[in-house]
Structure formats: C-alpha cells, structure tokens
Amino acid sequence: MSVPATRLFDLLDKQLAEFPQEVCIATKEQGVWRNHRTADVVQTAEKLALGLMQLGIGPGDRVAIASGNRSEWCITDQALLRIGAINVPIYPTSSVEDYAYILNHAGVRVFFASNAELHGKAEAAAASVPSLQHLFTFDQLDGLPHWTLLLGAGERQRDKLEEYKARVKGSDLATIIYTSGTTGRPKGVMLSHANILSNVHASEERLPVATGSRCISFLPLCHIYERMLMYLYQCTGMNIHFQESLDDLGARIKEVRPHVFTAVPRLLEKIYDSILAKGEALSGIKRKLFLLSLHVGENYEVQGKGPWYKLQHALVGRLVFSKWREALGGEVLCVASGSAALQPRLARIFNAASIPLMEGYGLTETSPVISVNDARNDGLRFGSVGRPITGVQVRIAVDGEILVQGPNVMMGYYNQPELTAEVLDTEGWLHTGDIGRLDPDGFLYIPDRKKEIFKTSGGKYVAPQVIENKLRASRFIEQAMVIGENRKFPAALIVPSFAFVKDYCALKGIPYGSNAQVVRQPAIIARIQQEVDTANEGLGHWEQVKKFALLSSDWSIDGGEFTPSLKLRRKPILAKYAQEVEAIYGIA
C-alpha cells in the first residue's frame, strides 16, 4: 500500500516502504564513501529526534544548522521535520554578526555546526543570543559535544514522537530560510511542508530522475534550491552523494558518475574556462578539431540545422565532446542551472556536447522553482528560463515585473508582516522584483532585476545584468559590474581573469609583476577595451559601456562583494570602490 506524502519526512518513509535504497545518502569520509541505507537514515533520524526531545525540543522550536553538504545535515533535517520543529539553516560563510542576528531573530535553541570554525562563530554569537542553549558539532572535536551524544537519549519518548509526527500537517511551517540579501538585514522566508512538496512534484516532471540513479549534491543545502532537490531525490529514490566543498569536485564527479546535478552559472563558466585552457594548449589537427567544436557548439540549435552542420557535429561529438562528457562522469542526463542568469552561449555549447544544461528561475520565496527548461517535448529555448512549472501561474505586470501565484509561494517573512505585505498582495500574487516577458509559446525571459535597472542622468534605462553577462563571456574578464545610475553614461568595474591574463602576458612578452601592476599595463587595458567593445555590439548607444576600471583584487563572499549565493552586492561594491568610480566619471 502506497504511503501518501503530505509532509516532507513522508518522502523517506515512502522510500523505505516502497523502494528502499542501499545508497540513500553518502558522504566521502577519510577517502572512503560512507553509504547510508534508507533504513539507516530513518532510524538514525528518529533516534536524533528523541535525543532532541530529551533536551526539551518540541513542535515549533527553532534549531539551526551551519554546515556544508554532508549526511549529518540530511539526518538532522529529518529529525527536526519529524518532531515538527523548524529547521533554520545558516550559510557557513555568513559573518558572526549575521549569525547573531539570525539566531536572535528566529529564537534558535539548538545549533549544529559542521566543524570547529563554524562552532567558533556560533559560540561568538551565542553571547548575545539568550535563547541558544546547546551547541553540537558534526566533526569529532576534542572538548566539544558531538551530535551522536543525542542518539542514545530519549528512547522512552517513542510514543510521544509518534504523537508529534501525527500532529504535523502539510500546511505547517517546515523551515525559515534567511535570504542572504544584497543589502540590509536578511529576511526569514517561511516555507511550509506543502510549499516545498508542491515544488518537488512539479520539478520532478522536468528532470530525468529515476529510482536508483545517481546524483551529486554540492550546492549549499542551506539554500532552498539544493534543499528542494534533495527532497526530490528522496521522493524518486535517487542515490545522493554529498560533497561538502568545491575542493576536488571534479574528482568526486568522476567517481560518482552522476546522472543529475545542479550548478550555478559561475561554476559552469569555470568548467568551460578550464576546457578552453586545455584546448588552447593543443596544436596541429587536435587544435583545429577543438576550435571546430567551439564553432559547432556556439551555433547549436535545438531544432537542428543543415546536413553540413550535422556532419561537423557528429565529428566533434565523437572526437571532442565525448571527452567533455567523460570529465563529468560520462553519464550526465541533466545539469540544472539556477541562482543567476546563464550565458546563452554556454547553454548552447553544453547542449551541443550532449550535456543537457537546463536553466531555471526561482526565488527562496517560491520554494524555489518558478520555471525551468526541459530538453524533452520541445521544452528548451536558449536565453529563456523555460516554461512555468505545473500549478504555478506567472503574469507580467504593467511595468514589466514578474508576478507569481501558486502553492509554492511562501507563507511570509518571519515576524515581519510589513515586509511580507510589500511583496505579497491581497490576491496572493508575489511581486518578484524581476523584469520579464512571456513569449507566445509560454517561455519566460528575464532581462534583469527590477531593483537593479538604473536610469542615467539622460533619462535612459539600463539593465546591467544583460551587459555583465556579455562582458563575462570574455576569457579576459572574471567579474564585472555595470554602473551609471544618475551618471552621464554606463561604465564598468572589471576584475580580470588573472590566470588567463598571466598566460596571455607570457605569450605576448608583456611584463607581469603583480595583479596591481598588470591592471595598469597599457597593453592589457587596450586588450580588455577590445573585449568591452565586443560586448557593446548589439547594445543601444545609451547602454554601451563607455569607460571601465580594472581592479586588482578578486571578488569573494568574504570580501563582501558577493552574497553566499554568489549574487553581486552592488551597494557595498560601489562603496568599496568609490575612488575608482569617481575617477571614471572625472570627479576628483
């Protein structure tokens, strides 16, 4: 008899009853993959739930997790869901100040940290968080309470746990996810079991997932994107292999040979850059074949092309693209891209290589998927974010803003009704803050964030993300931010791809003493000007980048330029590089 799934923890119970897996979840520990069967995960989660209950944790209590992706994250989440407690995930990279704010705002009582560094952040924040009573670690660390201490406690409360589980409803709050935010304090997005489950089932229709197939999970589980997919993998009985960091990711992918994984555009850009670097090092016929593969990839169309193109595609597919597929394990059926805009050129090239790269769109507030491409059934359009998923309605407001309604839309912001009212209208439509358009076939296109579009002093509107994507398509450019609000013209702050520039300098005999020296090198400035000119092609005169400043330091989360989900923090960047901005516009 089929087990109905109306709460998130029902997914693993259903898996256990109907299609138990030998590898439900796995994490590599000390060089060896440690596999957990479905029965192991459910049993350990229930023991942990009993231990937490012994500490006094009950329905509605908030418990935080700060950790990379690992089996303990999943098990702890399952324990909390079964009690009816609320999982409050925190980005490991967040500052101590953000830890303190989130822990206080959510009234967190118990904190799980993966390692000594994150435990230290929690301990530093705890001094100003009166609600926080217990800290545990996932790593075995001298003198610190390990999470397994909870597994032997509370067995006498088994009946009470069953009572708690029975009381959990689909409409109940399951998690509070604090958005990283490009400005200001993070907001706590409240998502119910039903919110996330609706997204699981609708997203399942768009991904080639099957019982017993493999996936690798490395995007942060503290973000709803990867977390919803974890539940989707549980729902379908996929074997989940967690990867805690991006270190050795390439080797892990080759080991796991995943059928499905998710990525953000920046990671895909880096994968492509590494492919280009290897191709540039080739010579003779191999180099010619590699260059032909790039030409074929950049001109790929979903609907196909003429016989000459097909012949070229078959040739490079066998001799070049097959090696790309092998580098990703050789069995990838789909790579789902989200979190930020994907360069259409990358989507074409990966799909040409028979690595189905599907761009989607969503928000934390929508659990998260709103729309996603699907290579099957004529469901892919390059440059779009696909058609809306089943049950989700999208409409475009008069000013171009994307509005969304559906079972995936959040309950609201935790303890912030006034902020909820700003984005969720009385008819239940969520105002996304993004600008979009729907084509006649129902595909959604997103030029930019409504809040990021700016107006020059001449009254012309500029959508910076479109231009930034074009700039980042250059191998010379690692990052770019287009500026120009209330200025005479658009300009750009550019971080060169220093590894590529260094190789270029060696090839051309240009001195490279340091990053700071090379960004002042006239030959490099002139060469990047060529890249800017290329990016300007096809843009209106008013939106073309007229000037730029080369920056000598890479941007990072720790440096304050990126949010933990790798979105640009525009105001902090403008403040940090105020001197360079003023120099661009000729103000002393």
Side-chain angles (χ1 to χ4, degrees):
M1 183 177 176
S2 180
V3 178
T6 59
R7 295 86 48 96
L8 289 168
F9 60 84
D10 289 332
L11 296 173
L12 274 187
D13 287 349
K14 182 180 178 70
Q15 184 183 120
L16 179 60
E18 299 178 15
F19 40 90
Q21 298 298 303
E22 283 298 308
V23 185
C24 173
I25 58 176
T27 303
K28 196 158 195 180
E29 300 175 10
Q30 298 178 334
V32 178
W33 284 102
R34 185 184 175 200
N35 302 329
H36 300 261
R37 299 174 305 156
T38 310
D40 299 331
V41 178
V42 171
Q43 182 181 46
T44 308
E46 299 224 327
K47 284 184 176 180
L48 180 56
L50 291 167
L52 286 166
M53 289 165 58
Q54 192 71 13
L55 294 181
I57 299 301
D61 285 328
R62 276 79 63 202
V63 175
I65 305 174
S67 170
N69 295 13
R70 53 196 288 174
S71 297
E72 293 93 337
W73 205 110
C74 174
I75 291 167
T76 304
D77 179 58
Q78 281 288 317
L80 298 175
L81 293 169
R82 289 162 191 273
I83 295 172
I86 313 305
N87 186 343
V88 182
I90 301 180
Y91 279 99
T93 52
S94 294
S95 66
V96 171
E97 291 74 20
D98 276 346
Y99 272 51
Y101 174 79
I102 292 169
L103 296 173
N104 257 321
H105 190 263
V108 167
R109 293 184 59 192
V110 179
F111 191 106
F112 290 90
S114 62
N115 55 38
E117 178 192 353
L118 301 183
H119 183 276
K121 282 188 180 182
E123 205 165 37
S128 59
V129 183
S131 64
L132 189 58
Q133 298 166 329
H134 304 279
L135 297 175
F136 296 93
T137 63
F138 292 153
D139 284 353
Q140 286 276 9
L141 300 167
D142 290 342
L144 297 179
H146 192 244
W147 73 284
T148 53
L149 293 174
L150 295 169
L151 298 183
E155 190 60 39
R156 287 176 297 179
Q157 299 193 80
R158 176 72 60 174
D159 290 344
K160 191 173 184 180
L161 174 59
E162 293 303 320
E163 178 191 328
Y164 281 169
K165 287 166 61 179
R167 282 166 50 183
V168 177
K169 302 186 297 294
S171 57
D172 287 349
L173 177 62
T175 188
I176 304 171
I177 300 176
Y178 282 81
T179 57
S180 50
T182 53
T183 59
R185 288 293 193 184
K187 295 172 289 190
V189 177
M190 296 189 293
L191 299 177
S192 69
H193 291 256
N195 285 151
I196 301 171
L197 274 172
S198 74
N199 218 243
V200 165
H201 295 308
S203 298
E204 183 183 352
E205 299 172 5
R206 300 289 174 92
L207 291 176
V209 290
T211 302
S213 56
R214 297 178 301 279
C215 61
I216 188 165
S217 171
F218 55 85
L219 294 186
L221 283 169
C222 52
H223 194 286
I224 187 56
Y225 179 39
E226 190 69 17
R227 183 162 165 204
M228 183 280 293
L229 284 159
M230 176 182 71
Y231 298 130
L232 191 159
Y233 302 148
Q234 293 171 1
C235 178
T236 54
M238 292 188 74
N239 301 164
I240 309 172
H241 295 77
F242 291 119
Q243 172 70 6
E244 194 162 8
S245 73
L246 297 184
D247 296 339
D248 300 321
L249 178 60
R252 296 295 85 77
I253 286 176
K254 285 184 179 180
E255 290 173 15
V256 173
R257 294 178 295 114
H259 298 102
V260 174
F261 67 88
T262 54
V264 293
R266 192 70 205 112
L267 176 64
L268 295 166
E269 289 165 8
K270 286 184 176 295
I271 290 172
Y272 182 60
D273 287 345
S274 70
I275 290 171
L276 284 180
K278 290 177 182 176
E280 291 288 346
L282 299 173
S283 59
I285 187 67
K286 289 184 178 180
R287 180 179 173 82
K288 288 181 180 178
L289 278 170
F290 178 77
L291 294 175
L292 176 62
S293 73
L294 297 184
H295 173 75
V296 167
E298 288 172 352
N299 288 279
Y300 180 77
E301 295 290 349
V302 178
Q303 289 77 19
K305 303 190 76 168
W308 176 237
Y309 177 88
K310 289 179 180 176
L311 182 64
Q312 291 178 311
H313 185 259
L315 176 67
V316 298
R318 188 172 67 255
L319 299 177
V320 181
F321 291 153
S322 60
K323 294 181 174 61
W324 297 19
R325 293 192 294 274
E326 193 56 38
L328 293 177
E331 298 187 38
V332 173
L333 300 176
C334 181
V335 179
S337 174
S339 185
L342 176 70
Q343 297 175 30
R345 182 174 67 113
L346 279 186
R348 289 182 189 277
I349 289 172
F350 276 92
N351 278 279
S354 297
I355 301 169
L357 174 55
M358 300 297 122
E359 184 176 11
Y361 165 63
L363 307 171
T364 305
E365 289 86 344
T366 55
S367 305
V369 179
I370 294 169
S371 64
V372 65
N373 279 288
D374 184 349
R376 303 161 299 180
N377 305 316
D378 192 32
L380 170 62
R381 295 289 185 277
F382 296 126
S384 86
V385 292
R387 293 187 178 106
I389 59 175
T390 301
V392 174
Q393 298 179 65
V394 171
R395 75 181 188 195
I396 308 301
V398 175
D399 64 356
E401 184 176 10
I402 300 168
L403 308 183
V404 178
Q405 190 178 71
N408 59 330
V409 172
M410 68 171 180
M411 302 169 72
Y413 294 121
Y414 185 66
N415 282 345
Q416 293 181 303
E418 69 290 346
L419 292 181
T420 302
E422 288 178 12
V423 299
L424 201 56
D425 66 28
T426 54
E427 296 180 356
W429 288 94
L430 179 78
H431 295 240
T432 65
D434 292 321
I435 296 296
R437 65 178 177 85
L438 286 164
D439 74 6
D441 294 326
F443 286 85
L444 180 61
Y445 292 78
I446 304 174
D448 221 307
R449 292 281 300 171
K450 180 180 177 182
K451 293 178 180 177
E452 291 174 358
I453 291 175
F454 62 80
K455 188 160 59 172
T456 64
S457 59
K460 296 290 187 179
Y461 285 98
V462 176
Q465 282 190 13
V466 176
I467 308 167
E468 289 159 2
N469 252 347
K470 294 182 65 138
L471 289 167
R472 289 203 315 273
S474 164
R475 284 178 285 170
F476 285 85
I477 297 173
E478 179 75 12
Q479 275 299 338
M481 188 178 94
V482 173
I483 61 176
E485 184 171 13
N486 296 322
R487 304 283 194 171
K488 293 179 181 179
F489 53 81
L493 299 173
I494 292 175
V495 179
S497 177
F498 290 110
F500 184 81
V501 169
K502 192 170 187 177
D503 290 343
Y504 177 81
C505 288
L507 183 67
K508 297 293 184 179
I510 300 170
Y512 192 116
S514 65
N515 291 355
Q517 174 267 323
V518 82
V519 297
R520 297 192 301 271
Q521 176 66 250
I524 295 302
I525 295 171
R527 185 63 188 82
I528 291 183
Q529 179 66 63
Q530 293 179 36
E531 301 299 305
V532 172
D533 292 342
T534 299
N536 279 333
E537 292 174 6
L539 296 175
H541 179 72
W542 70 92
E543 57 187 349
Q544 292 177 356
V545 173
K546 304 297 190 297
K547 291 185 179 182
F548 61 88
L550 296 183
L551 308 179
S552 60
S553 298
D554 288 322
W555 290 348
S556 66
I557 296 170
D558 291 340
E561 294 90 0
F562 289 131
T563 70
S565 56
L566 298 180
K567 295 180 179 69
L568 290 178
R569 300 185 69 226
R570 294 180 185 272
K571 288 185 178 178
I573 290 172
L574 281 173
K576 188 170 185 175
Y577 297 102
Q579 187 174 339
E580 288 81 356
V581 171
E582 299 311 319
I584 285 173
Y585 292 103
I587 300 172

